[in-house]
Amino acid sequence: MRAEHLESAGQDVGRSCILVSIAGKNVMLDCGMHMGYNDDRRFPDFSYITQNGRLTDFLDCVIISHFHLDHCGALPYFSEMVGYDGPIYMTHPTKAICPILLEDYRKITVDKKGETNFFTSQMIKDCMKKVVAVHLHQTVQVDEELEIKAYYAGHVLGAAMFQIKVGCESVVYTGDYNMTPDRHLGAAWVDKCRPDLLITESTYATTIRDSKRCRERDFLKKVHETVERGGKVQGPLPHIYCSQQILNISHFFYRERMNLKAPIYFSTGLTEKANHYYKLFITWTNQKIRKTFVQRNMFEFKHIKAFDRAFADNPGPMVVFATPGMLHAGQSLQIFRKWAGNEKNMVIMPGYCVQGTVGHKILSGQRKLEMEGRQILEVKMQVEYMSFSAHADAKGIMQLIRQAEPRNVLLVHGEAKKMEFLRQKIEQEFHVSCFMPANGETTTILTNPCIPVDISLGLLKRETAIGPVPDAKKPKLMHGSLLMKDNSFRLVSPEQALKELGLAEHQLRFTCRVHIQDPRKEHETGLRVYNHLKGILKDYSVQHLPDGSITVESILIQATAHSEDQGTKVLLVSWTYQDEELGSYLTSLLKKGLPQGTP
Amino acid sequence: STTIMLDCGLDMTSTLNFLPLPLVQSPRLSKLPGWVLKDGSTFLDKTELLDLSTVDVILISNYHCMMALPYITEYTGFTGTVYATEPTVQIGRLLMEELVNSIERVPKAQSASMWKNKEVQRLLPAPLKDAVEVSMWRKCYTMPEVNSALSKIQLVGYSQKIELFGAVQVTPLSSGYALGSSNWIIQSHYEKVSYVSGSSLLTTHPQPMDQAALKNSDVLILTGLTQIPTANPDGMVGEFCSNLAMTVRNGGNVLVPCYPSGVIYDLLECLYQYIDSAGLSNVPFYFISPVANSSLEFSQIFAEWLCHNKQTKVYLPEPPFPHAELIQTNKLKHYPSIHGDFSNDFKQPCVVFTGHPSLRFGDVVHFMELWGKSSLNTVIFTEPDFSYLDALAPYQPLAMKCVYCPIDTRLNFIQVSKLLKEVQPLHVVCPEQYTQPPPTQSHRTDLMVDCQPPAMSYRRAEVLTLPYKRRYEKIEIMPDLADSLVPLEIKPGISLATVSAVLHTKDNKHVLQPPQPPASKKRKRVSDDVPECKSLKPLLSGSIPVDQFVQTLEKHGFSDVKVEDTAKGHIVLLQEAETLIQLEEDSTHIICDNDEPLRVKLRDLVLKFLQKF
């Protein structure tokens, strides 16, 4: 089994794209784009997969874990521009939301920035036609050998972890996930499927995050203070998922508890749709929302108004949430440019920012930004970081490993230093090997697959039935013949194997002459031999037949007179090859003669 | 351990046989006491077929088939697991809630149970006198019991493979009949039983029936066919609409007794398309049920369980069912009961959808009393589970028009034979009544299950042994053992390796491991040890060509080899060693003095010519 990271996928939260080769099947996990780049480096280097030849022939399927662009952003490029016609699997909500985000991003890049060599709307549509939607826990048979199964991952609406299985080899790919249920979503869950390899994200590899409530209170306090002093608050929204979350918090706490009158605006379009999707895919949210949705819709907000571009210049405090989250384009960037110069204002960065984006620059402390056209923007506003994106922290990652019991762990989607720390922890606690490949690096993991064969019930029953003591714990030795024909393996009893092959058994029989000193009559000698053996072989069935011969199991012993010597009797011991050990033992036993006093 | 597995398989099939029974019978029987007790009958039937505490697993196929669940989980000592899909559970809960609600709000001062005594029952009027096992009839369950029962259900998704005790795998498949309705596949590695219950090939709102996965079944259990094989659902819908329009145009009201979920979604969708063209846009539609709102809301959130068309709507995003629009435009209004808001909004003429279709409880009783006297009004029966004449009997004489448009989308007999041809199960098992034409139409031989070999039928309380025999089971060979095997090509394309290994069995999974080397206790002389138990030697096959054998012997230092021909073969004599080897086609016999090294040497030479099995 090999796991290859396409360029820039491993130790970097840029984009995800992993190629797994398992038992001869090739599966691509996620197809993300890097939003910090504006050139070719934005998409993974797919020529790496097959130097020549079509992707469709090489890949058995593509799996998308969730709708974030760093996991699905390169999909139309990959399927329509590079060319892939095989199946693409994702969950229903992902299939619904993914094309909207793609289209949104395309608009920013192409229509606003005027870039060419980017996928078109039609390509997004064509690409989505290749998508097969999967249910949670549904076992999808990609072909006869390859099957995949989705597990709930939390993180965002419709996010899933996937199990990829060929024969008895399997991989679990987590995508992004969170292990603690939050306001909207439940916690990720996977059964004890004991995969050969668990590929897990490690965005928050070292953090043990403080409680969700604390972070929410913090967030509201900051907003409160800024608005009090007449400042404007900007919250760039990374994903529609986060928008829901922030909206919710703002709505319930800000309006109702802190009682502030500053208007809250929300960038239009995206969020209304997001609202709708949340409602229609409510089965993917957490228990509480699902139970109460008939009485109360969590996603309808009375106090929040739609944002208009002109509002940004209004005087007085306000709170505006707009996309995108990394301030790399669109409405949030426009607002940021207008407000950045005033120290009263505040921007709250709600999630991880990719290198190269404005968001990343201001978070890393840069206060003078070079904008397009060599213009310098001085940032005086407060910059705060508030993580709302629901990733698993170190504790959560360990918890998932405990759930799944993998034989190997591979860390991706994180920063090298933090991953190293986590790697050591995992190896210490679980005693499994843990890998953290660099971008573009290939990790090969040796699996030790069991070979499944068919065993005839007759043989299995025989083997479980015989044995001196029926002891369930004691392992039983079994003997059978493995028939191999056209890739089918059947373990049958030797008799059946012979019969099926149309062969006759060849009987190999031995008869040994054992000379013993005994002057008595033959039948008396026979009786003595019988008594002697009976005394020694307590576990065996020893019988004295009417014709004077003796059997030990299926071994036959006859006493005959010696032709020349009256004082010597010849014992004929006869056995088949199957009784070889016992027969050999008997001859050596009898050779020692009969002990004195044997009746 | 294998025996347990078979038992387990049989257990489950008897569970399956059991489950549909309360479905068919509880509504029918619960109706019977209604003859005497007027509205608010509180007795349901429960059948004891087997000790339910021994049942490990219950598989539920659709929400109508789980109405007896609280009786099983709450009263029988059942400790197993129940499997069902999410829509089945949610809508099943709504159906139960409606049932409990409509029965509990008409509390009766006293309940009679004397009549259940066999002696008393004998004296009662006709239908009650003949009812079977009335002593098993129970009072309706309560909401806490429903909640407790439902909490025991494990949610599953279509095509999810669920392992039971490592021995059996069960998988629900879409059956196309209702939201979340499923057929089940019960399979081990070598046999496959399909349980087809309440399936539909028509395109209505649910996901279409998954037929492909039913292929290659050893046994197919067929139940839940249409109750009215002669009616065409499409035609009935048309008739429904035209009757409704006619009544309303004449100033009358329309009453539709129905369940709160299921066909009502399709009816509303048809009406949505129909009302404008029929000029009915001003006629109010009322949906009255304690769960009306929940039912309408729930229908919109199970997009993944809907047919393709409705799924694509969700991607737009739009609500999958058009009744959302009917509600928005105030054409459809829903109320928990006739009390409260409804009495203020109530306008006539109107169309009322309400339960229960048996006309024995629920708000429908009120409307029957209210509208029954006017011939302007119409009651339209759409649910096929009840005889509409029986349902109407207590309300006679009745002036209102009665129209019977049963809409049953489940399989009819033509579809069944098509399905069976497509799926080709080895055996078909179905209830007895499907194997003969309906008693009222005995000449219609087309109205029965027709397949080859003929279907095996079962009756109530009958145990059927399913006709299959297992011959193989899966076993895993550990990689290091596999490495040690030496396959030999016996015939072209067929190789063989002899395996001696240790068998481990855990959780019904078998694994073969390499044999352990003998424990390293101090070795005594081999001959002193009584061999512990029979160690298995392989069987041999092949024949020994005498010339080559003699050559081999000579090569190994036997110089005085003499060969004699016999009738069946040859005798090879080693004169000095006084040893005689009889070679025949299928046997070799070595007769020698007690010279163990010599015997072993000869044995090994012979074995070189033979193949081991």
Side-chain angles (χ1 to χ4, degrees), chain A residues 38 78 124 133 182 320 390 417 424 437 448 476:
Chain A
N38 282 331
F78 167 75
I124 298 176
D182 65 17
V320 176
K417 255 190 223 157
Q424 283 174 7
N448 225 351
K476 282 155 200 131

Side-chain angles (χ1 to χ4, degrees), chain A residues 92-93 95-96 100 133-139 141 147 149 168 273 276-277 279-284 290 293-294 448-458 460-461 463-464 466 468 475-486 490-492 494-498 500-515 536-537 539-540 553 574-575 577-582 584-585 587-588 591-592, chain B residues 2 86 155 157-161 190 207 293-294 297-298 300-305 311 314-320 470-479 482 485 487 490-491 493-504 510 512 515 526-544 577-579 584-594 596 599 603 606-607 610-613:
Chain A
H92 285 269
K95 186 183 174 186
I100 302 174
V134 299
H135 289 268
L136 276 186
H137 301 156
Q138 176 189 6
T139 306
Q141 215 70 45
E147 58 179 49
K149 180 178 174 183
C168 44
K273 274 194 169 169
H276 224 117
Y277 284 119
K279 202 180 159 189
L280 294 173
F281 289 111
I282 213 149
T283 48
W284 284 79
R290 277 153 65 166
F293 92 100
V294 177
N448 225 351
C450 283
I451 294 147
V453 301
D454 298 349
I455 182 166
S456 87
L457 215 57
L460 187 68
K461 280 207 175 132
E463 295 305 329
T464 44
I466 60 161
K476 282 155 200 131
L477 198 70
M478 75 178 301
H479 179 83
S481 300
L482 187 65
L483 278 173
M484 286 163 270
K485 188 182 166 189
D486 313 328
R490 282 183 308 132
L491 190 61
V492 297
E495 292 86 354
Q496 192 182 340
L498 282 174
E500 282 189 26
L501 291 165
L503 297 175
E505 188 194 339
H506 188 103
Q507 208 182 51
L508 176 58
R509 180 167 275 282
F510 305 97
T511 301
C512 263
R513 295 182 291 262
V514 182
H515 299 258
I536 293 176
L537 301 168
D539 287 340
Y540 291 84
E553 300 288 329
S574 179
W575 71 91
Y577 175 62
Q578 281 68 36
D579 293 320
E580 173 73 5
E581 270 173 40
L582 186 59
S584 161
Y585 168 76
T587 51
S588 55
K591 196 176 172 185
K592 283 184 244 167
Chain B
T2 327
E86 184 168 4
L155 295 184
Y158 286 152
S159 304
Q160 178 177 352
K161 292 178 179 169
Y190 295 97
Q207 218 181 83
N293 184 26
S294 304
E297 288 281 345
F298 269 114
Q300 305 286 21
I301 66 162
F302 291 123
E304 292 165 55
W305 308 84
Q311 253 180 38
V314 176
Y315 295 148
L316 290 177
E318 273 170 24
R470 292 182 322 124
R471 291 179 51 217
Y472 286 98
E473 191 155 330
K474 277 273 185 255
I475 195 166
E476 284 189 347
I477 296 184
M478 294 282 283
L485 297 180
I490 302 286
K491 285 186 173 177
I494 305 176
S495 303
L496 182 134
T498 56
V499 182
S500 286
V502 179
L503 175 70
H504 283 265
H510 309 290
L512 278 184
V526 181
S527 55
D528 285 352
D529 266 333
V530 177
E532 250 192 21
C533 73
K534 221 170 150 184
S535 87
L536 289 151
K537 285 275 187 237
L539 292 185
L540 302 170
S541 180
S543 58
I544 300 173
E578 286 187 46
T579 295
E584 284 174 19
E585 180 66 28
D586 286 329
S587 69
T588 301
H589 194 167
I590 299 174
I591 302 164
C592 62
D593 266 346
N594 190 9
E596 190 66 7
R599 188 187 68 82
R603 178 193 75 191
V606 170
L607 287 178
L610 298 173
Q611 286 152 346
K612 292 180 183 180
F613 282 84

Side-chain angles (χ1 to χ4, degrees), chain A residues 317-493:
Chain A
M318 66 174 87
V319 181
V320 176
F321 296 103
T323 51
M326 302 186 197
L327 294 176
H328 56 277
Q331 208 167 33
S332 63
L333 185 59
Q334 284 171 11
I335 300 170
F336 175 75
R337 283 176 146 185
K338 285 193 174 150
W339 294 0
N342 190 338
E343 64 275 12
K344 269 200 219 162
N345 298 341
M346 176 169 73
V347 59
I348 297 175
M349 301 302 298
Y352 190 91
C353 287
V354 168
Q355 222 162 23
T357 58
V358 173
H360 186 265
K361 284 176 193 159
I362 59 169
L363 271 182
S364 53
Q366 210 174 321
R367 287 297 174 259
K368 284 198 171 129
L369 304 174
E370 192 186 306
M371 307 306 281
E372 283 154 49
R374 302 239 168 143
Q375 198 187 338
I376 300 291
L377 180 69
E378 198 171 344
V379 181
K380 287 184 184 157
M381 77 198 296
Q382 270 181 285
V383 178
E384 295 284 347
Y385 177 74
M386 274 296 309
S387 160
F388 281 96
S389 91
H391 288 273
D393 56 10
K395 205 170 130 198
I397 295 171
M398 301 296 272
Q399 205 179 328
L400 187 84
I401 295 174
R402 208 166 294 128
Q403 268 182 18
E405 289 190 4
R407 295 193 185 89
N408 298 281
V409 177
L410 194 141
L411 302 176
V412 294
H413 213 265
E415 285 164 42
K417 255 190 223 157
K418 295 179 177 177
M419 279 158 80
E420 178 55 35
F421 171 81
L422 186 66
R423 188 181 71 85
Q424 283 174 7
K425 224 177 136 187
I426 290 170
E427 292 195 333
Q428 262 170 28
E429 188 163 326
F430 300 107
H431 309 290
V432 296
S433 12
C434 182
F435 305 86
M436 35 176 289
N439 301 331
E441 193 182 316
T442 300
T443 312
T444 306
I445 287 149
L446 280 180
T447 54
N448 225 351
C450 283
I451 294 147
V453 301
D454 298 349
I455 182 166
S456 87
L457 215 57
L459 179 64
L460 187 68
K461 280 207 175 132
R462 184 171 81 182
E463 295 305 329
T464 44
I466 60 161
V469 203
D471 180 2
K473 277 181 192 159
K474 202 176 167 194
K476 282 155 200 131
L477 198 70
M478 75 178 301
H479 179 83
S481 300
L482 187 65
L483 278 173
M484 286 163 270
K485 188 182 166 189
D486 313 328
N487 273 335
S488 85
F489 295 87
R490 282 183 308 132
L491 190 61
V492 297
S493 62

Side-chain angles (χ1 to χ4, degrees), chain B residues 546-559:
Chain B
V546 68
D547 297 342
Q548 285 174 36
F549 183 61
V550 169
Q551 280 171 20
T552 314
L553 285 176
E554 283 169 347
K555 217 187 278 171
H556 283 82
F558 297 96
S559 51

Side-chain angles (χ1 to χ4, degrees), chain B residues 384-542:
Chain B
D385 290 351
F386 305 94
S387 147
Y388 79 108
L389 291 174
D390 286 353
L392 283 171
Y395 300 96
Q396 299 291 6
L398 209 59
M400 95 195 280
K401 277 198 292 285
C402 303
V403 180
Y404 182 54
C405 303
I407 297 166
D408 195 335
T409 55
R410 287 173 287 186
L411 296 176
N412 63 32
F413 292 101
I414 300 165
Q415 290 164 333
V416 165
S417 34
K418 224 171 155 190
L419 174 76
L420 292 180
K421 239 175 241 155
E422 178 84 20
V423 172
Q424 297 204 325
L426 286 183
H427 300 278
V428 175
V429 175
C430 67
E432 196 183 27
Q433 53 266 41
Y434 295 149
T435 57
Q436 54 212 31
T440 48
Q441 294 159 293
S442 50
H443 61 287
R444 293 291 296 269
T445 46
D446 55 326
L447 298 183
M448 56 185 272
V449 172
D450 179 28
C451 60
Q452 275 309 321
M456 305 175 62
S457 62
Y458 60 88
R459 259 177 288 183
R460 186 188 160 96
E462 190 183 39
V463 174
L464 197 69
T465 314
L466 296 179
Y468 59 72
K469 223 180 146 195
R470 292 182 322 124
R471 291 179 51 217
Y472 286 98
E473 191 155 330
K474 277 273 185 255
I475 195 166
E476 284 189 347
I477 296 184
M478 294 282 283
D480 31 355
L481 175 64
D483 284 345
S484 71
L485 297 180
V486 191
L488 265 174
E489 187 160 24
I490 302 286
K491 285 186 173 177
I494 305 176
S495 303
L496 182 134
T498 56
V499 182
S500 286
V502 179
L503 175 70
H504 283 265
T505 302
K506 194 183 162 193
D507 297 338
N508 289 322
K509 298 242 183 285
H510 309 290
V511 177
L512 278 184
Q513 291 177 349
Q516 303 284 319
S520 60
K521 61 181 171 188
K522 209 179 158 194
R523 275 210 152 201
K524 297 187 215 163
R525 286 220 327 268
V526 181
S527 55
D528 285 352
D529 266 333
V530 177
E532 250 192 21
C533 73
K534 221 170 150 184
S535 87
L536 289 151
K537 285 275 187 237
L539 292 185
L540 302 170
S541 180

Side-chain angles (χ1 to χ4, degrees), chain A residues 25-322:
Chain A
K25 302 282 170 185
N26 299 308
V27 178
M28 193 161 94
L29 304 171
D30 278 337
C31 189
M33 75 189 317
H34 198 301
M35 292 194 289
Y37 295 120
N38 282 331
D39 50 25
D40 286 349
R41 288 175 295 171
R42 149 168 69 204
F43 296 127
D45 180 9
F46 294 113
S47 62
Y48 182 85
I49 300 180
T50 48
Q51 261 64 35
N52 39 33
R54 294 174 61 235
L55 282 171
T56 315
D57 299 333
F58 179 75
L59 283 176
D60 293 281
C61 73
V62 174
I63 294 171
I64 302 294
S65 65
H66 62 282
F67 60 66
H68 284 163
L69 290 178
D70 55 342
H71 289 260
C72 70
L75 197 58
Y77 169 77
F78 167 75
S79 74
E80 304 311 308
M81 295 170 81
V82 182
Y84 168 75
D85 298 320
I88 302 166
Y89 294 97
M90 52 177 85
T91 64
H92 285 269
T94 308
K95 186 183 174 186
I97 298 169
C98 178
I100 302 174
L101 291 189
L102 287 170
E103 178 59 26
D104 204 63
Y105 190 74
R106 191 200 64 80
K107 266 191 202 148
I108 292 175
T109 350
V110 178
D111 297 355
K112 291 207 176 137
K113 290 190 184 163
E115 280 187 43
T116 51
N117 193 23
F118 205 77
F119 49 79
T120 63
S121 289
Q122 190 55 44
M123 283 177 182
I124 298 176
K125 279 180 197 147
D126 291 342
C127 167
M128 293 316 286
K129 280 181 198 150
K130 296 172 185 170
V131 171
V132 183
V134 299
H135 289 268
L136 276 186
H137 301 156
Q138 176 189 6
T139 306
V140 180
Q141 215 70 45
V142 178
D143 59 33
E144 265 176 27
E145 286 134 16
L146 174 63
E147 58 179 49
I148 61 171
K149 180 178 174 183
Y151 291 96
Y152 191 76
H155 186 60
V156 290
L157 191 70
M161 307 190 279
F162 279 89
Q163 182 192 43
I164 300 110
K165 198 171 167 193
V166 183
C168 44
E169 287 178 73
S170 66
V171 179
V172 170
Y173 171 62
T174 65
D176 291 352
Y177 63 102
N178 64 307
M179 295 296 287
T180 41
D182 65 17
R183 229 168 248 286
H184 293 96
L185 301 166
W189 178 85
V190 65
D191 55 14
K192 204 183 282 300
C193 52
R194 299 196 176 95
D196 292 298
L197 175 65
L198 176 79
I199 303 176
T200 171
E201 65 135 339
S202 47
T203 316
Y204 294 128
T206 51
T207 9
I208 307 283
R209 290 181 305 160
D210 43 18
S211 88
K212 197 100 193 173
R213 298 266 157 194
C214 283
R215 273 186 295 146
E216 284 173 6
R217 220 178 17 247
D218 255 26
F219 166 74
L220 289 166
K221 216 172 124 200
K222 282 173 188 163
V223 173
H224 190 237
E225 286 164 4
T226 311
V227 173
E228 284 284 79
R229 64 171 181 254
K232 296 179 169 66
V233 180
Q234 181 189 12
L237 298 172
H239 324 294
I240 52 181
Y241 159 68
C242 283
S243 64
Q244 286 307 324
Q245 188 144 25
I246 293 166
L247 255 175
N248 236 321
I249 302 161
S250 319
H251 182 72
F252 288 108
F253 288 73
Y254 182 76
R255 275 292 171 188
E256 282 155 25
R257 298 216 180 141
M258 294 189 169
N259 201 25
L260 283 185
K261 295 284 182 272
I264 304 176
Y265 296 113
F266 221 86
S267 66
T268 42
L270 248 189
T271 34
E272 272 165 33
K273 274 194 169 169
N275 242 326
H276 224 117
Y277 284 119
Y278 257 93
K279 202 180 159 189
L280 294 173
F281 289 111
I282 213 149
T283 48
W284 284 79
T285 57
N286 68 23
Q287 281 290 332
K288 199 181 152 202
I289 298 186
R290 277 153 65 166
K291 277 200 175 141
T292 56
F293 92 100
V294 177
Q295 290 84 40
R296 184 165 69 105
N297 186 357
M298 291 282 281
F299 307 110
E300 276 163 16
F301 308 100
K302 285 174 220 145
H303 306 297
I304 290 166
K305 295 166 206 153
F307 181 74
D308 188 285
R309 196 183 292 192
F311 293 174
D313 298 322
N314 286 0
M318 66 174 87
V319 181
V320 176
F321 296 103

